[in-house]
Structures are given as C-alpha cells and as structure tokens.
Amino acid sequence: EAQVTQNPRYLITVTGKKLTVTCSQNMNHEYMSWYRQDPGLGLRQIYYSMNVEVTDKGDVPEGYKVSRKEKRNFPLILESPSPNQTSLYFCASSWTSGRALYNEQFFGPGTRLTVL
Amino acid sequence: TQLLEQSPQFLSIQEGENLTVYCNSSSVFSSLQWYRQEPGEGPVLLVTVVTGGEVKKLKRLTFQFGDARKDSSLHITAAQPGDTGLYLCAGDRAGGTSYGKLTFGQGTILTVHP
C-alpha cells in the first residue's frame, strides 16, 4: 500500500530534550516536506527536500533540523524543544514536475507533539 | 500575515445550501491546490489548478483559478453532511528561489447540518 508513515503518532516531552520524528514513504517520491499545523494558522512549511541530500528552509524553520540521506526517509529533529513547538506535525511527499509542484502531496497521519 | 488569505474561516450551513470558499493573495502562484482534511488525518488533495482562468469540476465541487493566478475559489452546490471538514488551499509560489515552497491558507471549517 502506497503510504507515508510517521512515528511516533503522539509524544509528550519536556523542554530541552532532543527528539526525532521519523517520516518514511514507499512511493519513490523525490519531494518530501514537513509542516506544522496550529489552530487558525493552517499548515506552515518547516523544511522541504527536492531530492536526496537537497534540503531547504520553509517558512518556519527556526528550532528544527532535517536530513535526507535516503530517498524514502526525511526525519525531523528538534535539538532543544520548547513549548512553542507544541503542535501537530505532518510529513508529506510528492513527485515533482519541472519547476512547479503540480502533483498531489501525500500526507502522513500526523504527529501530535506536546512540549512541557 | 498569511500569504494566502482564506475566507471564511468558519462556515455552518444546512444541507442543500450552496457555499463558496475564497483563497486570495497578492502573490502569483504557479499552481494552486485544494485539500480536505478530516479530524485525526492528514489533508487529502481534491484538485490542482495551474492555468489562469481555469475552472475544474468535481461532482458538486467547482474550483476556479483567477486569471492573474493570485486567487482561487471553491464552490459547493447542494452541500451534504459528508462535505463537513476542513478545507485548505495551498499555493506553489512562482519562480526563482521559491521553487518547492508551498504556502497554505488558514483553512475553512465547514459544518453541514442535516
């Protein structure tokens, strides 16, 4: 089954304790992206990756790191989480077409993170 | 401020009514997508529009991309309770260093009462 998986689905942690949220897709997509969703703000892009070893900042990258060592995986790293990073996080993947993202983004089920 | 302003943010209507959701920006987009999201799940793509002035129909849903590729609308005819959900527009900013950046509107929470 074609899918994007995220782990964990739920996480409660404390300020400053490093954590990683994993994301994996089995569709051989070049493009992968991380978003956070907060009430009234929609989804905001954190980081994205056009292909292996190619990553770039989205609109809200502060406090986050990513890596893309393999095509299928795109982990999101919070080196020192703070309460303002409490949010619902989504990973997504897509094919790309030329210079525009015409293709459907497939989203994972989300990770609800609470930082105390 | 949001790059993509979506309105209204909340919409509560009766079954059978029509509705329109708007997505506006001062920026030009290469393409614009509409997603629907249900509680506890990720967004699911409804449609992508890529040409200024384009109109796409998906059963009772009609999507329009503005001539200048700065705005879009979603019109639902004869809404049903199954249409209830969060509707999101998302734009792929045109050209230059913005390639790959996708911007979402704030979302419209639609509730259709039986």
Side-chain angles (χ1 to χ4, degrees), chain A residues 31 37 42-43 45 48 50 57 59 90 98-105 107, chain B residues 33 35 37 42-43 45 48 50 86 92-93 96 99-102 104-106:
Chain A
Y31 181 92
Q37 186 172 33
L43 278 81
Q45 192 172 38
Y48 61 98
M50 301 303 294
K57 296 177 181 179
D59 291 320
F90 286 100
R99 293 193 58 78
L101 297 173
Y102 296 144
N103 297 301
E104 175 177 6
Q105 284 199 71
F107 284 80
Chain B
Q33 299 176 331
Y35 289 82
Q37 184 180 13
L45 182 72
T48 300
V50 300
L86 173 66
D92 170 23
R93 277 170 270 178
Y99 179 42
K101 284 190 173 181
L102 199 65
F104 280 80
Q106 309 99 312

PDB file of all heavy atoms in Angstrom, chain A residues 31 37 42-43 45 48 50 57 59 90 98-105 107, chain B residues 33 35 37 42-43 45 48 50 86 92-93 96 99-102 104-106:
ATOM      1  N   TYR A  31      10.203  14.535  -3.763  1.00  0.00           N
ATOM      2  CA  TYR A  31       9.931  15.666  -2.896  1.00  0.00           C
ATOM      3  C   TYR A  31       9.343  15.206  -1.563  1.00  0.00           C
ATOM      4  O   TYR A  31       8.427  14.380  -1.534  1.00  0.00           O
ATOM      5  CB  TYR A  31       8.945  16.603  -3.600  1.00  0.00           C
ATOM      6  CG  TYR A  31       8.572  17.859  -2.836  1.00  0.00           C
ATOM      7  CD1 TYR A  31       9.286  19.040  -3.003  1.00  0.00           C
ATOM      8  CD2 TYR A  31       7.485  17.877  -1.978  1.00  0.00           C
ATOM      9  CE1 TYR A  31       8.939  20.203  -2.337  1.00  0.00           C
ATOM     10  CE2 TYR A  31       7.124  19.027  -1.297  1.00  0.00           C
ATOM     11  CZ  TYR A  31       7.850  20.195  -1.488  1.00  0.00           C
ATOM     12  OH  TYR A  31       7.504  21.339  -0.815  1.00  0.00           O
ATOM     13  N   GLN A  37       0.859  22.271  12.011  1.00  0.00           N
ATOM     14  CA  GLN A  37      -0.490  22.786  11.918  1.00  0.00           C
ATOM     15  C   GLN A  37      -0.932  23.295  13.273  1.00  0.00           C
ATOM     16  O   GLN A  37      -0.939  22.551  14.260  1.00  0.00           O
ATOM     17  CB  GLN A  37      -1.458  21.700  11.427  1.00  0.00           C
ATOM     18  CG  GLN A  37      -2.869  22.209  11.176  1.00  0.00           C
ATOM     19  CD  GLN A  37      -3.754  21.176  10.502  1.00  0.00           C
ATOM     20  OE1 GLN A  37      -3.614  19.968  10.730  1.00  0.00           O
ATOM     21  NE2 GLN A  37      -4.665  21.627   9.664  1.00  0.00           N
ATOM     22  N   GLY A  42      -3.537  27.316   9.711  1.00  0.00           N
ATOM     23  CA  GLY A  42      -3.391  26.362   8.616  1.00  0.00           C
ATOM     24  C   GLY A  42      -2.122  25.544   8.782  1.00  0.00           C
ATOM     25  O   GLY A  42      -1.648  25.315   9.898  1.00  0.00           O
ATOM     26  N   LEU A  43      -1.548  25.096   7.687  1.00  0.00           N
ATOM     27  CA  LEU A  43      -0.278  24.370   7.709  1.00  0.00           C
ATOM     28  C   LEU A  43       0.839  25.320   7.309  1.00  0.00           C
ATOM     29  O   LEU A  43       0.714  26.071   6.346  1.00  0.00           O
ATOM     30  CB  LEU A  43      -0.287  23.189   6.728  1.00  0.00           C
ATOM     31  CG  LEU A  43      -0.940  21.906   7.208  1.00  0.00           C
ATOM     32  CD1 LEU A  43      -2.437  21.977   7.066  1.00  0.00           C
ATOM     33  CD2 LEU A  43      -0.400  20.717   6.432  1.00  0.00           C
ATOM     34  N   GLN A  45       4.956  25.469   6.368  1.00  0.00           N
ATOM     35  CA  GLN A  45       6.041  24.596   5.935  1.00  0.00           C
ATOM     36  C   GLN A  45       7.290  24.856   6.760  1.00  0.00           C
ATOM     37  O   GLN A  45       7.726  26.002   6.912  1.00  0.00           O
ATOM     38  CB  GLN A  45       6.317  24.829   4.451  1.00  0.00           C
ATOM     39  CG  GLN A  45       7.208  23.782   3.819  1.00  0.00           C
ATOM     40  CD  GLN A  45       7.294  23.965   2.314  1.00  0.00           C
ATOM     41  OE1 GLN A  45       7.335  25.074   1.807  1.00  0.00           O
ATOM     42  NE2 GLN A  45       7.322  22.863   1.585  1.00  0.00           N
ATOM     43  N   TYR A  48      11.756  21.476   3.465  1.00  0.00           N
ATOM     44  CA  TYR A  48      11.401  20.589   2.386  1.00  0.00           C
ATOM     45  C   TYR A  48      12.663  20.075   1.712  1.00  0.00           C
ATOM     46  O   TYR A  48      13.757  20.626   1.908  1.00  0.00           O
ATOM     47  CB  TYR A  48      10.477  21.270   1.364  1.00  0.00           C
ATOM     48  CG  TYR A  48      11.057  22.480   0.670  1.00  0.00           C
ATOM     49  CD1 TYR A  48      11.631  22.373  -0.595  1.00  0.00           C
ATOM     50  CD2 TYR A  48      11.013  23.732   1.278  1.00  0.00           C
ATOM     51  CE1 TYR A  48      12.152  23.482  -1.233  1.00  0.00           C
ATOM     52  CE2 TYR A  48      11.534  24.842   0.645  1.00  0.00           C
ATOM     53  CZ  TYR A  48      12.087  24.716  -0.612  1.00  0.00           C
ATOM     54  OH  TYR A  48      12.609  25.820  -1.233  1.00  0.00           O
ATOM     55  N   MET A  50      13.973  18.527  -2.124  1.00  0.00           N
ATOM     56  CA  MET A  50      13.662  18.219  -3.524  1.00  0.00           C
ATOM     57  C   MET A  50      14.195  16.846  -3.926  1.00  0.00           C
ATOM     58  O   MET A  50      13.707  16.258  -4.892  1.00  0.00           O
ATOM     59  CB  MET A  50      14.259  19.281  -4.439  1.00  0.00           C
ATOM     60  CG  MET A  50      13.763  20.701  -4.162  1.00  0.00           C
ATOM     61  SD  MET A  50      11.976  20.863  -4.259  1.00  0.00           S
ATOM     62  CE  MET A  50      11.710  20.542  -5.984  1.00  0.00           C
ATOM     63  N   LYS A  57      14.897  25.554   3.594  1.00  0.00           N
ATOM     64  CA  LYS A  57      14.007  26.065   4.625  1.00  0.00           C
ATOM     65  C   LYS A  57      12.651  26.435   4.042  1.00  0.00           C
ATOM     66  O   LYS A  57      12.556  26.990   2.948  1.00  0.00           O
ATOM     67  CB  LYS A  57      14.626  27.305   5.275  1.00  0.00           C
ATOM     68  CG  LYS A  57      15.920  27.030   6.019  1.00  0.00           C
ATOM     69  CD  LYS A  57      16.497  28.319   6.571  1.00  0.00           C
ATOM     70  CE  LYS A  57      17.805  28.046   7.304  1.00  0.00           C
ATOM     71  NZ  LYS A  57      18.413  29.295   7.829  1.00  0.00           N
ATOM     72  N   ASP A  59       8.860  28.192   5.652  1.00  0.00           N
ATOM     73  CA  ASP A  59       8.523  29.475   6.260  1.00  0.00           C
ATOM     74  C   ASP A  59       8.825  29.557   7.753  1.00  0.00           C
ATOM     75  O   ASP A  59       8.988  30.645   8.286  1.00  0.00           O
ATOM     76  CB  ASP A  59       7.037  29.776   6.029  1.00  0.00           C
ATOM     77  CG  ASP A  59       6.729  30.069   4.581  1.00  0.00           C
ATOM     78  OD1 ASP A  59       7.548  30.762   3.939  1.00  0.00           O
ATOM     79  OD2 ASP A  59       5.696  29.595   4.073  1.00  0.00           O
ATOM     80  N   PHE A  90       2.955  17.294  10.270  1.00  0.00           N
ATOM     81  CA  PHE A  90       2.679  16.421   9.138  1.00  0.00           C
ATOM     82  C   PHE A  90       3.885  16.353   8.212  1.00  0.00           C
ATOM     83  O   PHE A  90       4.506  17.372   7.904  1.00  0.00           O
ATOM     84  CB  PHE A  90       1.487  16.932   8.329  1.00  0.00           C
ATOM     85  CG  PHE A  90       0.169  16.722   8.997  1.00  0.00           C
ATOM     86  CD1 PHE A  90      -0.445  17.761   9.675  1.00  0.00           C
ATOM     87  CD2 PHE A  90      -0.456  15.485   8.950  1.00  0.00           C
ATOM     88  CE1 PHE A  90      -1.664  17.575  10.299  1.00  0.00           C
ATOM     89  CE2 PHE A  90      -1.682  15.285   9.579  1.00  0.00           C
ATOM     90  CZ  PHE A  90      -2.286  16.339  10.252  1.00  0.00           C
ATOM     91  N   GLY A  98       8.938  19.394 -13.421  1.00  0.00           N
ATOM     92  CA  GLY A  98       9.577  20.624 -13.854  1.00  0.00           C
ATOM     93  C   GLY A  98       9.789  21.571 -12.701  1.00  0.00           C
ATOM     94  O   GLY A  98      10.321  21.203 -11.664  1.00  0.00           O
ATOM     95  N   ARG A  99       9.343  22.799 -12.826  1.00  0.00           N
ATOM     96  CA  ARG A  99       9.610  23.815 -11.813  1.00  0.00           C
ATOM     97  C   ARG A  99       8.362  24.151 -11.000  1.00  0.00           C
ATOM     98  O   ARG A  99       8.245  25.199 -10.432  1.00  0.00           O
ATOM     99  CB  ARG A  99      10.154  25.083 -12.476  1.00  0.00           C
ATOM    100  CG  ARG A  99      11.519  24.883 -13.079  1.00  0.00           C
ATOM    101  CD  ARG A  99      12.164  26.201 -13.429  1.00  0.00           C
ATOM    102  NE  ARG A  99      12.279  27.076 -12.271  1.00  0.00           N
ATOM    103  CZ  ARG A  99      13.194  26.953 -11.338  1.00  0.00           C
ATOM    104  NH1 ARG A  99      14.068  25.983 -11.388  1.00  0.00           N
ATOM    105  NH2 ARG A  99      13.241  27.802 -10.326  1.00  0.00           N
ATOM    106  N   ALA A 100       7.424  23.248 -10.962  1.00  0.00           N
ATOM    107  CA  ALA A 100       6.235  23.517 -10.140  1.00  0.00           C
ATOM    108  C   ALA A 100       5.744  22.225  -9.511  1.00  0.00           C
ATOM    109  O   ALA A 100       5.953  21.143 -10.032  1.00  0.00           O
ATOM    110  CB  ALA A 100       5.132  24.144 -10.991  1.00  0.00           C
ATOM    111  N   LEU A 101       5.105  22.375  -8.383  1.00  0.00           N
ATOM    112  CA  LEU A 101       4.616  21.214  -7.643  1.00  0.00           C
ATOM    113  C   LEU A 101       3.196  20.914  -8.082  1.00  0.00           C
ATOM    114  O   LEU A 101       2.237  21.190  -7.377  1.00  0.00           O
ATOM    115  CB  LEU A 101       4.675  21.485  -6.149  1.00  0.00           C
ATOM    116  CG  LEU A 101       6.076  21.711  -5.602  1.00  0.00           C
ATOM    117  CD1 LEU A 101       6.010  22.139  -4.153  1.00  0.00           C
ATOM    118  CD2 LEU A 101       6.898  20.437  -5.733  1.00  0.00           C
ATOM    119  N   TYR A 102       3.052  20.385  -9.313  1.00  0.00           N
ATOM    120  CA  TYR A 102       1.712  20.134  -9.810  1.00  0.00           C
ATOM    121  C   TYR A 102       1.088  18.898  -9.195  1.00  0.00           C
ATOM    122  O   TYR A 102      -0.121  18.715  -9.254  1.00  0.00           O
ATOM    123  CB  TYR A 102       1.740  19.921 -11.326  1.00  0.00           C
ATOM    124  CG  TYR A 102       2.188  21.112 -12.124  1.00  0.00           C
ATOM    125  CD1 TYR A 102       2.948  20.950 -13.261  1.00  0.00           C
ATOM    126  CD2 TYR A 102       1.838  22.405 -11.749  1.00  0.00           C
ATOM    127  CE1 TYR A 102       3.353  22.035 -14.010  1.00  0.00           C
ATOM    128  CE2 TYR A 102       2.246  23.490 -12.493  1.00  0.00           C
ATOM    129  CZ  TYR A 102       2.999  23.307 -13.628  1.00  0.00           C
ATOM    130  OH  TYR A 102       3.405  24.376 -14.363  1.00  0.00           O
ATOM    131  N   ASN A 103       1.933  18.055  -8.656  1.00  0.00           N
ATOM    132  CA  ASN A 103       1.431  16.756  -8.279  1.00  0.00           C
ATOM    133  C   ASN A 103       0.916  16.706  -6.852  1.00  0.00           C
ATOM    134  O   ASN A 103       1.291  17.496  -5.997  1.00  0.00           O
ATOM    135  CB  ASN A 103       2.523  15.718  -8.462  1.00  0.00           C
ATOM    136  CG  ASN A 103       2.943  15.596  -9.902  1.00  0.00           C
ATOM    137  OD1 ASN A 103       2.133  15.293 -10.752  1.00  0.00           O
ATOM    138  ND2 ASN A 103       4.210  15.849 -10.164  1.00  0.00           N
ATOM    139  N   GLU A 104       0.066  15.739  -6.615  1.00  0.00           N
ATOM    140  CA  GLU A 104      -0.557  15.575  -5.313  1.00  0.00           C
ATOM    141  C   GLU A 104       0.482  15.315  -4.245  1.00  0.00           C
ATOM    142  O   GLU A 104       1.398  14.513  -4.432  1.00  0.00           O
ATOM    143  CB  GLU A 104      -1.525  14.403  -5.366  1.00  0.00           C
ATOM    144  CG  GLU A 104      -2.163  14.050  -4.030  1.00  0.00           C
ATOM    145  CD  GLU A 104      -3.158  12.929  -4.161  1.00  0.00           C
ATOM    146  OE1 GLU A 104      -3.269  12.354  -5.269  1.00  0.00           O
ATOM    147  OE2 GLU A 104      -3.828  12.625  -3.172  1.00  0.00           O
ATOM    148  N   GLN A 105       0.345  15.985  -3.129  1.00  0.00           N
ATOM    149  CA  GLN A 105       1.150  15.658  -1.966  1.00  0.00           C
ATOM    150  C   GLN A 105       0.394  14.633  -1.139  1.00  0.00           C
ATOM    151  O   GLN A 105      -0.797  14.799  -0.855  1.00  0.00           O
ATOM    152  CB  GLN A 105       1.427  16.894  -1.114  1.00  0.00           C
ATOM    153  CG  GLN A 105       2.469  17.809  -1.705  1.00  0.00           C
ATOM    154  CD  GLN A 105       3.045  18.732  -0.673  1.00  0.00           C
ATOM    155  OE1 GLN A 105       3.785  18.329   0.216  1.00  0.00           O
ATOM    156  NE2 GLN A 105       2.684  19.974  -0.777  1.00  0.00           N
ATOM    157  N   PHE A 107       0.055  12.947   2.420  1.00  0.00           N
ATOM    158  CA  PHE A 107       0.387  13.301   3.794  1.00  0.00           C
ATOM    159  C   PHE A 107       0.386  12.077   4.705  1.00  0.00           C
ATOM    160  O   PHE A 107      -0.407  11.146   4.514  1.00  0.00           O
ATOM    161  CB  PHE A 107      -0.621  14.310   4.345  1.00  0.00           C
ATOM    162  CG  PHE A 107      -0.419  15.701   3.831  1.00  0.00           C
ATOM    163  CD1 PHE A 107      -0.882  16.076   2.588  1.00  0.00           C
ATOM    164  CD2 PHE A 107       0.253  16.645   4.607  1.00  0.00           C
ATOM    165  CE1 PHE A 107      -0.685  17.364   2.113  1.00  0.00           C
ATOM    166  CE2 PHE A 107       0.452  17.927   4.147  1.00  0.00           C
ATOM    167  CZ  PHE A 107      -0.019  18.293   2.900  1.00  0.00           C
TER     168      PHE A 107
ATOM    169  N   GLN B  33      -3.611  24.349  -5.099  1.00  0.00           N
ATOM    170  CA  GLN B  33      -4.279  23.094  -4.784  1.00  0.00           C
ATOM    171  C   GLN B  33      -5.312  23.310  -3.689  1.00  0.00           C
ATOM    172  O   GLN B  33      -5.171  24.201  -2.847  1.00  0.00           O
ATOM    173  CB  GLN B  33      -3.247  22.060  -4.316  1.00  0.00           C
ATOM    174  CG  GLN B  33      -2.193  21.734  -5.365  1.00  0.00           C
ATOM    175  CD  GLN B  33      -1.121  20.785  -4.858  1.00  0.00           C
ATOM    176  OE1 GLN B  33      -0.803  20.753  -3.680  1.00  0.00           O
ATOM    177  NE2 GLN B  33      -0.563  19.998  -5.765  1.00  0.00           N
ATOM    178  N   TYR B  35      -7.245  21.097  -0.662  1.00  0.00           N
ATOM    179  CA  TYR B  35      -7.230  19.870   0.116  1.00  0.00           C
ATOM    180  C   TYR B  35      -8.421  19.858   1.072  1.00  0.00           C
ATOM    181  O   TYR B  35      -8.935  20.897   1.478  1.00  0.00           O
ATOM    182  CB  TYR B  35      -5.946  19.773   0.962  1.00  0.00           C
ATOM    183  CG  TYR B  35      -4.687  19.521   0.182  1.00  0.00           C
ATOM    184  CD1 TYR B  35      -4.004  20.563  -0.439  1.00  0.00           C
ATOM    185  CD2 TYR B  35      -4.174  18.232   0.069  1.00  0.00           C
ATOM    186  CE1 TYR B  35      -2.838  20.324  -1.152  1.00  0.00           C
ATOM    187  CE2 TYR B  35      -3.000  17.982  -0.639  1.00  0.00           C
ATOM    188  CZ  TYR B  35      -2.347  19.033  -1.237  1.00  0.00           C
ATOM    189  OH  TYR B  35      -1.194  18.788  -1.937  1.00  0.00           O
ATOM    190  N   GLN B  37      -9.413  18.014   4.838  1.00  0.00           N
ATOM    191  CA  GLN B  37      -8.830  17.296   5.958  1.00  0.00           C
ATOM    192  C   GLN B  37      -9.916  16.932   6.964  1.00  0.00           C
ATOM    193  O   GLN B  37     -10.719  17.786   7.344  1.00  0.00           O
ATOM    194  CB  GLN B  37      -7.762  18.152   6.646  1.00  0.00           C
ATOM    195  CG  GLN B  37      -7.031  17.457   7.776  1.00  0.00           C
ATOM    196  CD  GLN B  37      -5.983  18.359   8.415  1.00  0.00           C
ATOM    197  OE1 GLN B  37      -5.954  19.559   8.196  1.00  0.00           O
ATOM    198  NE2 GLN B  37      -5.098  17.775   9.205  1.00  0.00           N
ATOM    199  N   GLY B  42      -4.370  13.344   7.822  1.00  0.00           N
ATOM    200  CA  GLY B  42      -3.685  14.350   7.025  1.00  0.00           C
ATOM    201  C   GLY B  42      -4.582  14.845   5.903  1.00  0.00           C
ATOM    202  O   GLY B  42      -5.575  14.211   5.547  1.00  0.00           O
ATOM    203  N   PRO B  43      -4.262  16.008   5.328  1.00  0.00           N
ATOM    204  CA  PRO B  43      -5.048  16.534   4.202  1.00  0.00           C
ATOM    205  C   PRO B  43      -5.003  15.599   3.002  1.00  0.00           C
ATOM    206  O   PRO B  43      -4.008  14.902   2.770  1.00  0.00           O
ATOM    207  CB  PRO B  43      -4.349  17.855   3.881  1.00  0.00           C
ATOM    208  CG  PRO B  43      -3.592  18.216   5.107  1.00  0.00           C
ATOM    209  CD  PRO B  43      -3.182  16.921   5.718  1.00  0.00           C
ATOM    210  N   LEU B  45      -5.761  15.606  -1.230  1.00  0.00           N
ATOM    211  CA  LEU B  45      -5.925  16.500  -2.375  1.00  0.00           C
ATOM    212  C   LEU B  45      -7.287  16.328  -3.035  1.00  0.00           C
ATOM    213  O   LEU B  45      -7.746  15.218  -3.293  1.00  0.00           O
ATOM    214  CB  LEU B  45      -4.831  16.225  -3.412  1.00  0.00           C
ATOM    215  CG  LEU B  45      -4.862  17.134  -4.640  1.00  0.00           C
ATOM    216  CD1 LEU B  45      -4.407  18.537  -4.256  1.00  0.00           C
ATOM    217  CD2 LEU B  45      -3.984  16.572  -5.751  1.00  0.00           C
ATOM    218  N   THR B  48      -5.956  20.257  -8.375  1.00  0.00           N
ATOM    219  CA  THR B  48      -4.868  21.195  -8.655  1.00  0.00           C
ATOM    220  C   THR B  48      -5.266  22.020  -9.864  1.00  0.00           C
ATOM    221  O   THR B  48      -5.712  21.464 -10.878  1.00  0.00           O
ATOM    222  CB  THR B  48      -3.557  20.461  -8.966  1.00  0.00           C
ATOM    223  OG1 THR B  48      -3.186  19.652  -7.852  1.00  0.00           O
ATOM    224  CG2 THR B  48      -2.442  21.452  -9.247  1.00  0.00           C
ATOM    225  N   VAL B  50      -3.764  24.995 -12.548  1.00  0.00           N
ATOM    226  CA  VAL B  50      -2.450  25.500 -12.957  1.00  0.00           C
ATOM    227  C   VAL B  50      -2.517  26.638 -13.969  1.00  0.00           C
ATOM    228  O   VAL B  50      -1.540  27.348 -14.165  1.00  0.00           O
ATOM    229  CB  VAL B  50      -1.562  24.379 -13.532  1.00  0.00           C
ATOM    230  CG1 VAL B  50      -1.336  23.297 -12.501  1.00  0.00           C
ATOM    231  CG2 VAL B  50      -2.157  23.787 -14.790  1.00  0.00           C
ATOM    232  N   LEU B  86     -12.378  20.274   7.109  1.00  0.00           N
ATOM    233  CA  LEU B  86     -11.508  21.450   6.981  1.00  0.00           C
ATOM    234  C   LEU B  86     -11.015  21.508   5.537  1.00  0.00           C
ATOM    235  O   LEU B  86     -10.452  20.545   5.027  1.00  0.00           O
ATOM    236  CB  LEU B  86     -10.325  21.327   7.936  1.00  0.00           C
ATOM    237  CG  LEU B  86      -9.236  22.391   7.824  1.00  0.00           C
ATOM    238  CD1 LEU B  86      -9.775  23.755   8.223  1.00  0.00           C
ATOM    239  CD2 LEU B  86      -8.037  22.029   8.704  1.00  0.00           C
ATOM    240  N   ASP B  92       1.776  27.038  -4.778  1.00  0.00           N
ATOM    241  CA  ASP B  92       3.181  26.848  -5.096  1.00  0.00           C
ATOM    242  C   ASP B  92       3.667  28.166  -5.705  1.00  0.00           C
ATOM    243  O   ASP B  92       3.276  28.515  -6.826  1.00  0.00           O
ATOM    244  CB  ASP B  92       3.311  25.685  -6.081  1.00  0.00           C
ATOM    245  CG  ASP B  92       4.707  25.559  -6.659  1.00  0.00           C
ATOM    246  OD1 ASP B  92       5.664  26.043  -6.033  1.00  0.00           O
ATOM    247  OD2 ASP B  92       4.830  24.980  -7.753  1.00  0.00           O
ATOM    248  N   ARG B  93       4.499  28.906  -4.948  1.00  0.00           N
ATOM    249  CA  ARG B  93       4.879  30.236  -5.407  1.00  0.00           C
ATOM    250  C   ARG B  93       5.691  30.173  -6.689  1.00  0.00           C
ATOM    251  O   ARG B  93       6.551  29.321  -6.861  1.00  0.00           O
ATOM    252  CB  ARG B  93       5.656  30.976  -4.313  1.00  0.00           C
ATOM    253  CG  ARG B  93       4.744  31.621  -3.311  1.00  0.00           C
ATOM    254  CD  ARG B  93       5.521  32.123  -2.128  1.00  0.00           C
ATOM    255  NE  ARG B  93       5.617  31.109  -1.091  1.00  0.00           N
ATOM    256  CZ  ARG B  93       6.276  31.275   0.047  1.00  0.00           C
ATOM    257  NH1 ARG B  93       6.921  32.386   0.267  1.00  0.00           N
ATOM    258  NH2 ARG B  93       6.322  30.323   0.951  1.00  0.00           N
ATOM    259  N   GLY B  96      11.944  31.472  -9.326  1.00  0.00           N
ATOM    260  CA  GLY B  96      13.098  31.880  -8.537  1.00  0.00           C
ATOM    261  C   GLY B  96      13.380  30.969  -7.374  1.00  0.00           C
ATOM    262  O   GLY B  96      13.278  29.750  -7.475  1.00  0.00           O
ATOM    263  N   TYR B  99      10.914  27.981  -5.511  1.00  0.00           N
ATOM    264  CA  TYR B  99      10.600  26.650  -6.007  1.00  0.00           C
ATOM    265  C   TYR B  99      10.647  25.635  -4.869  1.00  0.00           C
ATOM    266  O   TYR B  99      11.636  25.530  -4.160  1.00  0.00           O
ATOM    267  CB  TYR B  99      11.598  26.271  -7.087  1.00  0.00           C
ATOM    268  CG  TYR B  99      11.405  24.896  -7.672  1.00  0.00           C
ATOM    269  CD1 TYR B  99      10.135  24.412  -7.971  1.00  0.00           C
ATOM    270  CD2 TYR B  99      12.494  24.078  -7.927  1.00  0.00           C
ATOM    271  CE1 TYR B  99       9.963  23.158  -8.512  1.00  0.00           C
ATOM    272  CE2 TYR B  99      12.328  22.820  -8.477  1.00  0.00           C
ATOM    273  CZ  TYR B  99      11.067  22.360  -8.765  1.00  0.00           C
ATOM    274  OH  TYR B  99      10.902  21.114  -9.302  1.00  0.00           O
ATOM    275  N   GLY B 100       9.559  24.885  -4.711  1.00  0.00           N
ATOM    276  CA  GLY B 100       9.488  23.890  -3.653  1.00  0.00           C
ATOM    277  C   GLY B 100       8.755  24.381  -2.425  1.00  0.00           C
ATOM    278  O   GLY B 100       8.316  23.578  -1.607  1.00  0.00           O
ATOM    279  N   LYS B 101       8.584  25.686  -2.286  1.00  0.00           N
ATOM    280  CA  LYS B 101       7.890  26.212  -1.115  1.00  0.00           C
ATOM    281  C   LYS B 101       6.395  26.203  -1.381  1.00  0.00           C
ATOM    282  O   LYS B 101       5.932  26.750  -2.372  1.00  0.00           O
ATOM    283  CB  LYS B 101       8.348  27.636  -0.816  1.00  0.00           C
ATOM    284  CG  LYS B 101       9.707  27.717  -0.173  1.00  0.00           C
ATOM    285  CD  LYS B 101       9.989  29.123   0.319  1.00  0.00           C
ATOM    286  CE  LYS B 101      11.287  29.145   1.108  1.00  0.00           C
ATOM    287  NZ  LYS B 101      11.594  30.485   1.638  1.00  0.00           N
ATOM    288  N   LEU B 102       5.679  25.594  -0.459  1.00  0.00           N
ATOM    289  CA  LEU B 102       4.235  25.512  -0.578  1.00  0.00           C
ATOM    290  C   LEU B 102       3.607  26.278   0.575  1.00  0.00           C
ATOM    291  O   LEU B 102       3.972  26.065   1.737  1.00  0.00           O
ATOM    292  CB  LEU B 102       3.794  24.052  -0.554  1.00  0.00           C
ATOM    293  CG  LEU B 102       2.403  23.733  -1.113  1.00  0.00           C
ATOM    294  CD1 LEU B 102       2.357  24.046  -2.601  1.00  0.00           C
ATOM    295  CD2 LEU B 102       2.091  22.267  -0.892  1.00  0.00           C
ATOM    296  N   PHE B 104       0.118  27.416   2.610  1.00  0.00           N
ATOM    297  CA  PHE B 104      -1.271  27.070   2.866  1.00  0.00           C
ATOM    298  C   PHE B 104      -2.045  28.263   3.413  1.00  0.00           C
ATOM    299  O   PHE B 104      -1.483  29.113   4.119  1.00  0.00           O
ATOM    300  CB  PHE B 104      -1.361  25.930   3.893  1.00  0.00           C
ATOM    301  CG  PHE B 104      -1.116  24.569   3.312  1.00  0.00           C
ATOM    302  CD1 PHE B 104       0.170  24.122   3.086  1.00  0.00           C
ATOM    303  CD2 PHE B 104      -2.179  23.733   3.003  1.00  0.00           C
ATOM    304  CE1 PHE B 104       0.404  22.857   2.546  1.00  0.00           C
ATOM    305  CE2 PHE B 104      -1.958  22.466   2.477  1.00  0.00           C
ATOM    306  CZ  PHE B 104      -0.662  22.036   2.242  1.00  0.00           C
ATOM    307  N   GLY B 105      -3.322  28.310   3.095  1.00  0.00           N
ATOM    308  CA  GLY B 105      -4.220  29.250   3.748  1.00  0.00           C
ATOM    309  C   GLY B 105      -4.543  28.761   5.156  1.00  0.00           C
ATOM    310  O   GLY B 105      -4.158  27.655   5.548  1.00  0.00           O
ATOM    311  N   GLN B 106      -5.278  29.600   5.910  1.00  0.00           N
ATOM    312  CA  GLN B 106      -5.584  29.238   7.306  1.00  0.00           C
ATOM    313  C   GLN B 106      -6.582  28.100   7.408  1.00  0.00           C
ATOM    314  O   GLN B 106      -6.709  27.447   8.446  1.00  0.00           O
ATOM    315  CB  GLN B 106      -6.169  30.437   8.075  1.00  0.00           C
ATOM    316  CG  GLN B 106      -5.374  31.705   7.988  1.00  0.00           C
ATOM    317  CD  GLN B 106      -5.958  32.634   6.949  1.00  0.00           C
ATOM    318  OE1 GLN B 106      -6.242  32.230   5.830  1.00  0.00           O
ATOM    319  NE2 GLN B 106      -6.132  33.885   7.334  1.00  0.00           N
TER     320      GLN B 106
END
